[in-house]
Amino acid sequence: MKAIKVEWTPSLHGSVHIPGSKNSSLALLAAVCLADEPVTLHGIPDIADLRVIYELAQDLGMNVQHEGLGTVVMDPRPITNASLDPGKSSSFRAAYYFVGSLLAKFGKVSVGYPGGDDFVSRPMDQHVKALQMMGATFTFHPDYYTVEAKELRGTTIYFDMITCGATINVMLAAVRAKGTTVLLNAAHDPEVTDTANLLNQLGAKITGAGTDTIRIEGVSSLHGGEYTVIPDRLIAGAFLMAAGVTGGSVTVQQVIPEHLSSCLAKLREIGLELDIQDNAVTAHSNGVLRAVRVRTAMYPGFATDLQQPLTALLTQARGKSIIGERIYPNRFNHAHQLVRMGADIKIRSGVASIQGGKPLHGALVHASDVRAGICLILAGMRAEGTTTIAGVQHIERGYEDVIGSFRALGANISMFDSDEEVVREVMLKQSN
């Protein structure tokens, strides 16, 4: 078992290159299955979730080759089946993208139920409804489900709630369906647009991605090509918040500032000074932070995946801050860990009340999901003493060389092999 040790850090200074988007890469790697020729993807991060994707693709028969840092060549022509191992595919939520990408080609797909971060259940009702409207039938088994369709037919689909995952999944299915599919109340997320841009480059006919109405005209085939994934806006936002937590100046490079608009607006409100360039953003902080109110929302609102690092930042802002979690109301496991470090946070009905300005102290804590881990790292840099973070496997699911990136900025952080006694102690204190 690995653990992370974080010591008090006076301030951060420097720049960090932001890797390709994890969430976008998950969709792009699955989307390649729709092609009839090899596809080369650039900027793919080296993280645990994507290594599972490669295993699943190879289990299907796909040829996967890594050519240099962040470049992956995937050849879908050898795919012989569409049956995914339930254990592997249930280890993260985005395995359902294989349904949309394989169903038109093979007529039947089996996959494990959505997994990944355990802060909330992953409802699939919008996926099921939309694919059924296109002619698919679902059979649910204890550990997996199957989706079958002799032919997918285009239709008009209204999503009852805005959902990025279902928007992408149904868009994938519609690319090789018969006729035209129209998605209403679709998600606006950059990851949706990124997936549509890749597919269009391969020969798909998708318009409206990035708006609430997406139109897909089905095609009979897709050719190969090359594509570069967008940068990870969620990692970029967390590093900018780190400048506020410790004070100092942090530049995130190779970013699309427009994707960070709501985050940047809130950081300015908190008191950070921002210098925004074409593909870089610098955050300056003198350590004087203001309490704020935040409500998470679907893009372009404030992202739920930035709520956790923001919580760490707001523990340093004097006054009372309020965070309303409207996407996943139960996503506050990180707050309980921050309380163990001395933070004054109260949770009620999906709302966190943070009385900032209280000193933090080092403690044994546990990262329960990807973003909670980065939250605890930020808090550890401001805490007196040593903070030991277990649950490193969750952090590695979404962050490539997080230790090296923070050390390059001046953080006192390291990874070490922990014994089972440390892990048991963390888990025991967490249960108490």
Side-chain angles (χ1 to χ4, degrees):
M1 299 291 290
K2 291 187 290 186
I4 292 175
K5 181 173 71 174
V6 188
E7 305 280 358
W8 182 82
T9 298
S11 62
L12 296 179
H13 295 274
S15 64
V16 58
H17 289 267
I18 300 303
S21 165
K22 168 206 167 190
N23 290 341
S24 202
S25 295
L26 292 170
L28 297 186
L29 291 170
V32 170
C33 294
L34 285 161
D36 299 300
E37 298 173 354
V39 177
T40 300
L41 298 175
H42 302 288
I44 304 297
D46 182 16
I47 56 176
D49 268 5
L50 299 187
R51 289 192 285 272
V52 176
I53 282 271
Y54 300 141
E55 290 182 18
L56 289 171
Q58 289 170 328
D59 289 347
L60 297 174
M62 182 181 288
N63 185 4
V64 179
Q65 293 184 346
H66 299 270
E67 296 185 355
L69 187 63
T71 295
V72 182
V73 180
M74 305 186 74
D75 187 352
R77 291 175 296 183
I79 295 180
T80 57
N81 70 91
S83 179
L84 282 74
D85 178 84
K88 290 180 184 178
S89 56
S90 64
S91 65
F92 66 105
R93 78 183 191 281
Y96 49 55
Y97 289 147
F98 281 104
V99 175
S101 63
L102 293 170
L103 189 56
K105 270 190 175 183
F106 292 91
K108 182 178 180 180
V109 183
S110 65
V111 61
Y113 292 105
D117 297 329
D118 61 2
F119 52 83
V120 72
S121 61
R122 299 285 187 175
M124 291 181 57
D125 58 311
Q126 297 303 297
H127 300 250
V128 174
K129 180 191 84 167
L131 291 173
Q132 285 177 336
M133 290 178 67
M134 298 177 70
T137 59
F138 283 73
T139 304
F140 298 98
H141 305 278
D143 300 321
Y144 69 98
Y145 62 98
T146 61
V147 189
E148 298 181 68
K150 292 183 178 180
E151 180 182 80
L152 289 174
R153 302 177 301 276
T155 187
T156 298
I157 298 165
Y158 176 81
F159 291 113
D160 299 308
M161 58 181 292
I162 299 175
T163 158
C164 181
T167 298
I168 291 176
N169 200 14
V170 178
M171 185 170 66
L172 293 174
V175 165
R176 295 186 68 148
K178 299 291 184 180
T180 300
T181 301
V182 179
L183 306 182
L184 303 176
N185 199 30
H188 297 198
D189 300 58
E191 295 78 13
V192 173
T193 304
D194 204 32
T195 306
N197 288 342
L198 165 68
L199 292 168
N200 282 340
Q201 191 161 316
L202 302 182
K205 297 180 179 179
I206 304 171
T207 58
T211 75
D212 58 7
T213 302
I214 301 175
R215 183 184 181 91
I216 309 106
E217 295 182 31
V219 297
S220 59
S221 64
L222 294 179
H223 52 73
E226 291 192 39
Y227 190 78
T228 300
V229 64
I230 58 173
D232 198 309
R233 59 191 171 102
L234 305 173
I235 291 178
F239 275 107
L240 293 174
M241 292 176 189
V245 171
T246 66
S249 177
V250 173
T251 299
V252 292
Q253 297 183 354
Q254 297 176 329
V255 298
I256 302 175
E258 181 184 354
H259 293 172
L260 289 159
S261 295
S262 58
C263 174
L264 299 180
K266 191 56 64 175
L267 292 181
R268 280 199 176 100
E269 186 179 339
I270 291 170
L272 275 68
E273 296 181 8
L274 301 176
D275 179 13
I276 302 174
Q277 305 296 324
D278 289 341
N279 60 357
V281 179
T282 300
H284 309 272
S285 177
N286 60 8
V288 179
L289 306 175
R290 295 186 287 269
V292 298
R293 289 176 174 265
V294 183
R295 288 193 298 179
T296 64
M298 295 300 295
Y299 187 87
F302 194 89
T304 179
D305 282 341
L306 288 174
Q307 178 255 111
Q308 290 98 318
L310 182 72
T311 306
L313 174 59
L314 292 178
T315 65
Q316 303 305 299
R318 292 191 177 277
K320 184 178 181 180
S321 293
I322 303 292
I323 297 180
E325 178 52 81
R326 301 176 66 186
I327 308 301
Y328 298 120
N330 296 324
R331 197 177 190 179
F332 283 112
N333 286 338
H334 62 289
H336 303 298
Q337 302 300 300
L338 291 174
V339 169
R340 297 188 50 239
M341 298 176 67
D344 185 351
I345 305 175
K346 294 179 173 59
I347 309 296
R348 183 178 179 181
S349 301
V351 176
S353 300
I354 307 163
Q355 191 65 45
K358 302 293 181 67
L360 300 180
H361 54 78
L364 288 169
V365 291
H366 181 262
S368 57
D369 63 77
V370 179
R371 313 301 170 181
I374 210 73
C375 163
L376 297 176
I377 289 175
L378 298 190
M381 290 190 293
R382 191 46 22 185
E384 292 290 339
T386 300
T387 299
T388 301
I389 304 171
V392 173
Q393 70 276 12
H394 294 294
I395 301 173
E396 292 179 331
R397 286 185 46 234
Y399 289 85
E400 180 180 347
D401 191 21
V402 66
I403 302 299
S405 296
F406 275 112
R407 287 177 65 90
L409 297 174
N412 296 320
I413 183 171
S414 60
M415 186 95 70
F416 69 97
D417 292 326
S418 66
D419 55 33
E420 294 184 4
E421 183 177 348
V422 171
V423 177
R424 283 198 300 269
E425 184 177 355
V426 173
M427 299 304 291
L428 179 61
K429 289 185 176 182
Q430 181 184 17
S431 64
N432 293 334

